Amino acid sequence: MSAAETTTAKVPPRRHSSPPAGDGRPSAAPRRTRLRLGQAATPWLLLAPCILVLVLVLGYPLIRLGTLSFQDYKKPQLWGFKPATWVGFDNYRAILGDSEFWSVVVRTIVFAGFCVLFTMVIGMLVALLLQRVSPWVRTLINIALVASWAMPVVVAVTVFKWMFDSDYGVVNWVLSQIPGVDYSGHNWFASGPEGLSVIMMQVVWGAIPFVVITLSAGLTQVPKELEEAARLDGAGAFGVFRYVTFPIIKPLVVMMTTLSVIWDMGVFAQVWLMRGGHPEPEFQLLTTYSYDRAFGVNDYATGSAIALLTVLLLLGVVAVYMRQMLKIGEVE
Amino acid sequence: MKRKLIAAIGVATMIVGVAACGSNGDSGKSSASSITVWLTVDAQHNWPELVKAADDAIIAKHPGLKVKHEYYAWPDKNAKLDAVLATDNAPDVVEMGNTEMVPYMAEGAFAEVDPSKFDNSGAWLDGLKQSVMYDGKTYGVPYYAAARIATWRKDVAAAAGVSAAPKSWTELTGDLDKIQAKEGAKFSAWYQPSRDWYAAMSFVYDAGGAIAKQDGGQWKASLEDPAAIQGLNAWKAIEAKYMHGDLTKDESDRYIVYGQGKSAMMYAPGWEAPSAADPKFDKTGGKLKDNLVNFVLPGPSGKNMPVFLGGSDLAIPSKSKAQDLAAEWINDFTNTKGQQVLMGKGNLPNNNTQLATLESDPASAVTAEAAKISWFVPTAPGWGTVEKAKTLQDMLQAIATGKKSVEQAAKDADSAIDKVINVKN
Amino acid sequence: MSAMTSSRAHTGSAPAVAAARRRRNAKLGWNALGLLVFALAAFPVYWMLNTAFKPAKDAIDPTPHFFPYPVSLENFRRALNISDFWGPVERSLIVSASTVVIGAAIGLLAALAISRFAFRGRKVVIVGILTVQMVPLVAMIIPVFLLLNQIHQIDKLSGLVLTYLTFILPFTVWTLRGFLVNIPKELEEAAMVDGCSRTGAFLRVVFPLLAPGLVATSIYGFIQAWNEFLYALLVMSQEHETATVWLGTFTTQHGTEYAPMMAGSTMMGIPVVILFLLVQRKMAAGLTAGAVKG
């Protein structure tokens, strides 16, 4: 979730149209020239601890990830009994030539795609619904959303595993109450697609609150008069949404979709725990696959190469994100 | 502005102070004032008193010594071990499955031990002794061996009109059919988790098949051979007819499931039945304690089912900083008295001297009898990788859930095994 | 006459009444839908509590019991019995609190730098900090493990704190920046005219205005650190495991003991949920403050 709430802070359309008054630029301008000489170092000193941490724990490992992926690095190297040797592109050749890797890639993309789609669509619908219900219903929904938002992933996974248990799970029981349907003893994790759908439900359930809460905040920015005017002009509910509401919150939606893609491509704990720490082949996503290669089969180099390929795969999404960031940078 | 700078430095200093509070000072050092022992959860759940006795014995000799314990489930243990061996926090004693030793010994992960320092080392069971030897040197101490036996509930059998434990495969399936019919479709006449490959492979070996065969120094997977296929089919029939629990599970919580009372029979290491009957796990209202009956599992071939002769060894990582104390603890844990405790839990001892006493004791005669026909995993250089990749488990689950045919699943598993079985990792 | 008036009155207001009724009906429909959403969203939490508080035997009854009756604490006892619970909780608290405090301090400094100073490279820093959250942290686990090993931070809480800082710093910096930008410099200057030192002005004027932002970022950081699983699993030994790993191993090793597992989940999840609920108003305000006035 790390980037989540930042969106709220940076995307809203308003800030582009009305330059922030508090940016301090007008009043700072004369001072800046005065201070530049002596104080150039101060902001860097203030930034130092933050940058130090980020470079140490993120920058350096990122480089290490790259070098690892070109090495032969297994248990003896990890334990320091043998030096790592360079193997060029061998790891990548092995991975890219492995049909299992490609099926994992496709599975990950499909899984993340549906997660994002459901998260955004349902999140949007609930946010719109929240504007239409009575205050007490809104409060109830808000409490439920906040509760599922705050729920630690490990806890949520455990609860979902229990709800979908084949023998004593409540979901099977409820479904079996439908006449003509017998789901008792049904095993949701016997098949990969079905099991991943359950995991998807859990991911979406956990991701919706953030989307709803952020979009709700965004929706309050939509001028009521505009909607009213559109309605008077004969636009239907969908028309109003399509031509008035959506364009206003669109930047918000784009940002949240981008972030959702990044998070949903990075789903790990849900799959890992739901499958008891050992996802079967048809449950492997890029993250678990990389982890499994590294810490399961002790091929740390191949695991790193897969991780790096995952990052590369995300680059397209990153590009969108970066463009948004640069826009903000311009406003600064 | 200078003040701002000073304030910044002040805050930074505070951060450093807080960082110091946040760290956990004592965790890093592993001096000889303490040793860390890694065992599997089997010991934690089933013979904690033996662990305690060994701790007491060594502390009596070295007052002030602290013995720390960590317990891991079998499937998680080695991943954790591999990671920790990279650090300077290596444990001093670690339990290893007898099939897991080879790669670690070959890579130099374990320290050599002197067998003469351990009780009964002259009479160690062959299977276990071999598993701790590499290049003529000894790198571990046998802990115990386990044979699998069948256990069922005589109350459930009697309710279905069955009075005696089965002696042949036909009798067994006939009895299970009756029990299954009597108890209904939600009940498992035989709770046999599909991912329990030790049981499934017994069917393969019973039919004359093998996981892999050696040919001119090279290993080749042989699950596609007709004999192995026949064994897998017999196993699949059992799963389909009698196993109505979760088909995606392994055997690690079998005794807990069995304790819930929704199954009649299981095929498991000797200690599992008593554990299921423990009031902690027995959810039937105490029925298990008096109704569990052990018997030797007959195989479809007409002989007794070949059992996987599993076992555990204890090894000392070469990075341990307290190797002498570790060896001492191991001996306190595996001495003759300790083995007696383990035998009382339904296990086989680590030595032939004590094994001889088993057969005369009616409580353990079934285990001793079952152990006579056994099989063992291929002693191939890449076998450890096969186990870690869970190839067999995934194959069995695919068969049991009907996702793949027996032939297809065996073929896929063979090609996956062939890729790694001759490769030294 | 009276009939006429009433009928006229009636015809006169009919559309209005109908519209009102339609609106009421629509509202009813929306509310019903809203309640359905509430039920779906809340069900997992309800089911967790329900299972945790009922006798263990009821939990494995194929026909579910929808209310924990009789209420039993047996599952909690069993969960606490299986392995030490308070140790992991204490460690999680230490890690989360340290992460929050250090994160807020470092983040505040950085936020000050990018909101109160104009300097060359400022834009690069801003974009850099924001880009950092793009890196999927799961992908970094192998080299981070090697790094922590190199600097002897494996199996140490400080190693975890260091790692978690990178999770929360970008958010903290950005949110605090949003608050700082909204505090007019004139306020500080006025205080300084009144005789405050710069630090004094900062502490007395800026800091109180910053408080909601600090609360929001602190809670966010706390929850991130409290919930993290993967790094804690790999970095910490069992002796020093954190609360999420405690529950995670419970789940993988005692997969069948659902009722105690739900009790464990309750103990782990509810405090966070309560904390979150208590401050959610403030947090939402904090978050949207950045959004609206950014």
Side-chain angles (χ1 to χ4, degrees), chain A residues 37-289:
Chain A
L37 291 172
Q39 305 298 331
T42 313
W44 289 108
L45 276 173
L46 292 172
L47 279 169
C50 179
I51 291 178
L52 195 73
V53 169
L54 292 181
V55 167
L56 177 71
V57 190
L58 223 56
Y60 169 74
L62 201 58
I63 294 166
R64 191 74 197 274
L65 189 70
T67 53
L68 260 180
S69 69
F70 292 103
Q71 288 178 330
D72 178 29
Y73 204 92
K74 298 203 173 73
K75 276 190 284 183
Q77 287 84 3
L78 178 74
W79 298 339
F81 294 163
K82 259 191 221 170
T85 48
W86 295 93
V87 295
F89 282 92
D90 281 7
N91 295 322
Y92 287 98
R93 220 168 287 141
I95 296 164
L96 297 175
D98 187 354
S99 63
E100 196 185 343
F101 170 74
W102 290 108
S103 58
V104 172
V105 170
V106 171
R107 188 178 306 120
T108 309
I109 292 175
V110 172
F111 176 82
F114 276 106
C115 280
V116 173
L117 186 73
F118 287 130
T119 306
M120 292 311 295
V121 170
I122 300 175
M124 175 67 83
L125 290 177
V126 174
L128 289 172
L129 178 69
L130 276 183
Q131 292 194 306
R132 286 163 177 75
V133 296
S134 310
W136 63 275
V137 178
R138 195 177 309 142
T139 309
L140 275 181
I141 296 179
N142 270 330
I143 289 174
L145 287 178
V146 170
S148 48
W149 189 8
M151 204 61 129
V153 169
V154 184
V155 173
V157 170
T158 311
V159 174
F160 268 72
K161 215 175 149 191
W162 165 226
M163 287 178 8
F164 283 89
D165 184 64
S166 73
D167 298 326
Y168 311 110
V170 65
V171 173
N172 281 351
W173 183 85
V174 167
L175 289 175
S176 300
Q177 300 312 300
I178 303 168
V181 179
D182 183 16
Y183 261 76
S184 59
H186 178 74
N187 193 329
W188 290 88
F189 295 100
S191 113
E194 213 170 86
L196 282 173
S197 310
V198 173
I199 295 172
M200 195 185 292
M201 275 176 71
Q202 197 254 307
V203 171
V204 171
W205 175 79
I208 283 181
F210 163 64
V211 174
V212 174
I213 290 167
T214 315
L215 281 180
S216 293
L219 286 173
T220 57
Q221 314 234 330
V222 178
K224 284 271 170 293
E225 315 81 62
L226 264 182
E227 292 185 320
E228 206 54 48
R231 217 166 281 138
L232 286 177
D233 286 349
F238 180 75
V240 173
F241 175 76
R242 168 83 179 72
Y243 296 107
V244 179
T245 319
F246 188 75
I248 295 179
I249 55 168
K250 194 177 154 201
L252 209 54
V253 173
V254 171
M255 271 313 293
M256 289 208 293
T257 310
T258 317
L259 287 169
S260 297
V261 171
I262 295 162
W263 296 331
D264 291 343
M265 290 281 288
V267 162
F268 177 90
Q270 288 91 335
V271 179
W272 203 85
L273 282 167
M274 207 78 101
R275 299 317 303 133
H278 310 279
E280 291 91 340
E282 70 262 42
F283 281 91
Q284 295 282 11
L285 302 179
L286 276 168
T287 48
T288 56
Y289 190 60

Side-chain angles (χ1 to χ4, degrees), chain B residues 14-366:
Chain B
M14 184 190 94
I15 291 163
V16 174
V18 176
C21 306
S23 72
N24 192 331
D26 74 332
S27 59
K29 69 168 185 238
S30 171
S31 70
S33 65
S34 74
I35 57 171
T36 304
V37 176
W38 279 26
L39 298 173
T40 60
V41 286
D42 304 346
Q44 182 185 26
H45 292 159
N46 304 292
W47 44 91
E49 68 274 23
L50 176 57
V51 179
K52 176 88 178 33
D55 292 355
D56 291 346
I58 195 167
I59 291 169
K61 285 178 278 176
H62 303 273
L65 180 73
K66 208 165 164 290
V67 186
K68 298 182 196 164
H69 292 280
E70 299 200 11
Y71 295 98
Y72 290 95
W74 279 106
D76 309 327
K77 178 186 59 107
N78 285 359
K80 199 74 193 172
L81 178 65
D82 296 340
V84 82
L85 285 182
T87 72
D88 44 17
N89 299 325
D92 302 295
V93 177
V94 57
E95 175 179 352
M96 299 296 291
N98 54 349
T99 64
E100 298 169 343
M101 288 290 289
V102 177
Y104 289 88
M105 295 190 292
E107 283 151 2
F110 295 146
E112 199 185 340
V113 297
D114 176 2
S116 68
K117 284 191 183 159
F118 301 92
D119 283 18
N120 303 311
S121 57
W124 278 344
L125 292 189
D126 265 355
L128 292 179
K129 188 176 174 178
Q130 273 167 29
S131 74
V132 296
M133 306 273 292
Y134 187 81
D135 270 355
K137 291 181 189 150
T138 308
Y139 291 96
V141 178
Y143 172 11
Y144 69 96
R148 275 140 213 269
I149 50 172
T151 302
W152 80 3
R153 285 173 58 177
K154 66 178 186 217
D155 56 334
V156 174
V162 178
S163 54
K167 294 263 180 287
S168 71
W169 182 251
T170 335
E171 268 181 54
L172 174 72
T173 51
D175 294 349
L176 290 177
D177 284 342
K178 282 186 208 157
I179 293 172
Q180 192 67 60
K182 171 84 173 64
E183 300 290 337
K186 293 207 176 168
F187 189 87
S188 296
W190 178 352
Y191 180 78
Q192 178 54 57
S194 73
R195 287 174 78 83
D196 174 13
W197 61 282
Y198 302 107
M201 289 305 119
S202 287
F203 282 87
V204 168
Y205 283 93
D206 177 68
I211 300 171
K213 287 176 177 156
Q214 200 172 16
D215 182 22
Q218 286 288 301
W219 286 88
K220 199 167 170 356
S222 57
L223 291 165
E224 287 164 273
D225 290 2
I229 296 282
Q230 187 193 332
L232 286 172
N233 274 320
W235 169 82
K236 184 188 176 186
I238 291 297
E239 294 289 320
K241 276 202 284 187
Y242 309 126
M243 168 63 183
H244 299 288
D246 188 336
L247 280 176
T248 59
K249 276 191 136 161
D250 64 19
E251 70 279 13
S252 50
D253 63 354
R254 171 170 40 211
Y255 60 100
I256 305 179
V257 178
Y258 191 76
Q260 291 173 345
K262 309 275 185 208
S263 38
M265 176 185 144
M266 63 173 173
Y267 176 54
W271 56 264
E272 287 197 29
S275 294
D278 186 298
K280 270 205 304 273
F281 300 113
D282 184 352
K283 304 271 192 257
T284 64
K287 282 190 218 147
L288 295 188
K289 196 170 183 308
D290 301 322
N291 283 305
L292 293 182
V293 174
N294 296 337
F295 56 93
V296 180
L297 187 69
S301 70
K303 287 183 293 221
N304 284 343
M305 189 70 97
V307 294
F308 169 67
L309 206 55
S312 280
D313 303 318
L314 296 166
I316 304 170
S318 48
K319 285 194 172 179
S320 155
K321 290 169 198 126
Q323 302 187 358
D324 292 340
L325 284 169
E328 218 173 303
W329 186 89
I330 292 178
N331 192 42
D332 288 331
F333 189 57
T334 58
N335 59 20
T336 309
K337 232 165 63 198
Q339 294 297 316
Q340 208 63 44
V341 176
L342 288 169
M343 284 157 69
K345 303 280 180 183
N347 297 300
L348 298 172
N350 67 359
N351 63 83
N352 287 309
T353 324
Q354 286 175 283
L355 184 68
T357 65
L358 262 186
E359 282 177 66
S360 51
D361 180 351
S364 49
V366 169

Side-chain angles (χ1 to χ4, degrees), chain C residues 180-216:
Chain C
L180 281 169
V181 153
N182 284 311
I183 300 168
K185 276 216 155 143
E186 292 73 20
L187 273 183
E188 271 172 273
E189 280 157 2
M192 280 164 76
V193 168
D194 288 350
C196 275
S197 67
R198 187 158 249 285
T199 322
F202 179 79
L203 286 179
R204 244 162 272 171
V205 179
V206 180
F207 206 72
L209 289 170
L210 209 54
L214 281 172
V215 169

Side-chain angles (χ1 to χ4, degrees), chain C residues 109-160:
Chain C
L109 295 182
L112 272 174
I114 59 172
S115 64
R116 283 290 197 256
F117 291 88
F119 57 97
R120 199 184 297 259
R122 176 163 162 276
K123 205 165 164 187
V124 177
V125 169
I126 290 174
V127 175
I129 286 177
L130 290 174
T131 318
V132 154
Q133 21 196 24
M134 288 291 314
V135 182
L137 290 155
V138 187
M140 303 295 290
I141 182 123
I142 303 165
V144 167
F145 175 81
L146 296 177
L147 167 78
L148 290 179
N149 188 29
Q150 242 165 319
I151 57 175
H152 302 283
Q153 290 297 317
I154 294 287
D155 199 21
K156 294 203 177 136
L157 298 180
S158 48
L160 275 189

